Amino acid sequence: MSGKADPRTAGEGTTSRTRLDRGRGALGPALELVHTGRAPTRAVLTAELGVTRATAGAVAAELEALGLIRVDARPGAAGGSQGRPSHRLAVAEDGPVALAAQIHADGFRAALVGLGGRLVATASGREVVDADPAKVLGSVVEAGAGLLRQTGRRCVGAGLAVPSAVAEPEGLALNPLHLAWPAGAPVRRIFAEQVRAAGIDGPAFAANDVNLAALAEHRHGAGRGARDLLCVATGHRGVGGALVLDGRLHSGSSGLALEVGHLTVNPEGRPCHCGSRGCLDVETDPLAFLTAAGREPGPEVSLLQQSNDLIRGRYDDPAVRTATETLIDRLGLGLAGLVNILNPDRIVLGGLHRALLDADPERLRAVVADRSLWGQSGGVPILPCTLDHNSLVGAAELAWQPVLDDPLGALA
């Protein structure tokens, strides 16, 4: 009996191992394609990955075995170049989730978010956010842990959205102007401690809420397909901005880029928490709108909801219309300056700014075009954000990223 291996068998073994290694390396890119809706079929997955049909099939099968996607072999989806039906791919509706948490001036919201940016369950709480971050972070994690118990879902990790610049790499909330937290509060560490104390598996992350909204809109919403996406939004208090360049969030050298809320749009305007006057932060947020409309803010619901309800339900009221037009003009002035500096190919607006755009889109677009150099040559598209709770979806993206990078390693 010869000690030499059969060259045919050896070749097949090498080919099999090569295909297996290539397939494992493609798991993350393949999952991201399904996660972002860019590979609805196995044929598209094959083309996007640049692999053979056999390798794409093995990759899809492995992701299905991990409980991350579903492969539907029934005919009905357009397939390859010959028009053959192709297996349809979708995220697993009963698969793992990420815990997403958001802190705002009026309290918090927790959610479980699956692949594809799908909200599985949410819970909210109205709470005074005092000087101790651990108090409200404990409340939001407790709410999230309750959702996990109710649903019985596996958790891959947790992400936190906060209304403050978050300095990297320490995860410090540098300027929580609308919260009572001390400047430089170590929110990422505190959040991670609360997550571990609640017995929740996976890593924990924290980032600025508008940065996360932009990330979510770029992957799953109105920003999908944009190369240079500018997102500007106002939630419960204040204004934030974010920029996605070539698919990656631009956060600057230490996480502090795009503090657009402190652009001056009304030199004689309201004093701002930053020490300046007339910033977007205090001229175009919900409190500014309610004040301009002559309404006294009530305690029953958030300032954002009160403002949105007024614009959508009482726009025929002269005071509401005037306030809306005033905020549109100031927002447009700020956006025009950002267009001149950043030259984005798309702008998406969230929170109250989305309601302002919906109320009078032509007025806002005209202000931006009139005040921006590049707006005169055709204008940049200005669209409303399309995702409900996009900051929560973005927070979940932080927790999902290790799984997108290495599904086998993250879920082992």
Side-chain angles (χ1 to χ4, degrees):
M1 182 175 177
S2 172
K4 293 183 179 180
D6 185 332
R8 291 171 299 176
T9 305
E12 289 172 1
T14 301
T15 300
S16 178
R17 285 194 301 273
T18 301
R19 184 179 293 132
L20 181 62
D21 290 342
R22 184 183 302 121
R24 283 178 174 168
L27 283 176
L31 182 59
E32 183 168 348
L33 287 166
V34 179
H35 172 60
T36 56
R38 290 178 289 153
T41 68
R42 200 170 70 182
V44 176
L45 183 69
T46 301
E48 289 289 335
L49 293 177
V51 298
T52 65
R53 289 178 62 192
T55 298
V59 167
E62 182 69 27
L63 292 174
E64 186 172 36
L66 289 170
L68 296 171
I69 73 169
R70 291 287 176 264
V71 181
D72 186 350
R74 292 175 298 175
S81 58
Q82 314 254 327
R84 298 169 58 188
S86 178
H87 293 41
R88 289 172 287 192
L89 307 177
V91 298
E93 293 187 359
D94 58 350
V97 294
L99 169 60
Q102 183 177 13
I103 306 301
H104 52 73
D106 297 319
F108 63 83
R109 183 175 290 274
L112 305 184
V113 185
L115 283 167
R118 297 173 303 107
L119 269 71
V120 174
T122 64
S124 62
R126 290 182 63 79
E127 180 174 319
V128 175
V129 181
D130 64 19
D132 181 9
K135 181 180 176 184
V136 69
L137 291 178
S139 296
V140 73
V141 169
E142 181 180 354
L147 295 176
L148 287 170
R149 288 192 297 271
Q150 292 168 22
T151 61
R153 295 294 189 97
R154 177 179 181 180
C155 185
V156 301
L160 172 67
V162 294
S164 166
V166 178
E168 299 294 347
E170 298 89 354
L172 308 178
L174 284 194
N175 60 341
L177 299 179
H178 300 288
L179 305 176
W181 294 350
V187 292
R188 181 179 300 153
R189 176 179 61 77
I190 297 171
F191 180 60
E193 291 171 350
Q194 298 280 4
V195 167
R196 285 194 298 271
I200 298 171
D201 294 330
F205 306 88
N208 170 262
D209 54 2
V210 180
N211 278 356
L212 296 178
L215 182 63
E217 291 290 340
H218 187 267
R219 290 185 176 180
H220 306 292
R224 186 179 295 176
R227 189 185 67 180
D228 298 337
L229 174 70
L230 172 64
C231 176
V232 177
T234 177
H236 295 258
R237 290 292 305 276
V239 175
L243 186 66
V244 179
L245 299 177
D246 291 325
R248 299 185 65 86
L249 189 64
H250 174 70
S251 55
S253 61
S254 57
L256 307 180
L258 270 291
E259 279 290 332
V260 305
H262 300 289
L263 290 173
T264 299
V265 293
N266 182 16
E268 305 303 319
R270 299 177 177 86
C272 182
H273 302 278
C274 72
S276 186
R277 181 178 288 275
C279 297
L280 270 178
D281 210 59
V282 291
E283 295 291 336
T284 66
D285 80 340
L287 182 59
F289 175 77
L290 293 171
T291 301
R295 297 310 202 265
E296 188 70 28
E300 299 81 12
V301 296
S302 71
L303 299 177
L304 175 60
Q305 184 176 334
Q306 292 176 62
S307 300
N308 285 340
D309 289 348
L310 270 181
I311 293 175
R312 291 165 181 161
R314 300 290 301 277
Y315 195 59
D316 55 346
D317 183 314
V320 173
R321 180 183 291 271
T322 299
T324 301
E325 292 174 349
T326 297
L327 264 70
I328 286 175
D329 291 348
R330 289 173 183 166
L331 174 61
L333 183 61
L335 293 178
L338 292 167
V339 168
N340 289 339
I341 296 169
L342 301 174
N343 188 29
D345 62 353
R346 194 179 309 173
I347 299 172
V348 294
L349 301 179
L352 175 62
H353 293 168
R354 177 170 62 177
L356 295 174
L357 174 64
D358 290 342
D360 196 341
E362 295 310 314
R363 185 183 185 99
L364 180 60
R365 291 176 180 132
V367 173
V368 175
D370 289 345
R371 292 297 194 116
S372 61
L373 295 172
W374 321 124
Q376 304 288 347
S377 61
V380 56
I382 304 175
L383 305 174
C385 289
T386 58
L387 299 177
D388 291 330
H389 309 302
N390 50 20
S391 291
L392 281 171
V393 174
E397 290 295 316
L398 296 179
W400 274 114
Q401 193 60 52
V403 182
L404 297 174
D405 292 338
D406 181 10
L408 276 175
L411 298 179

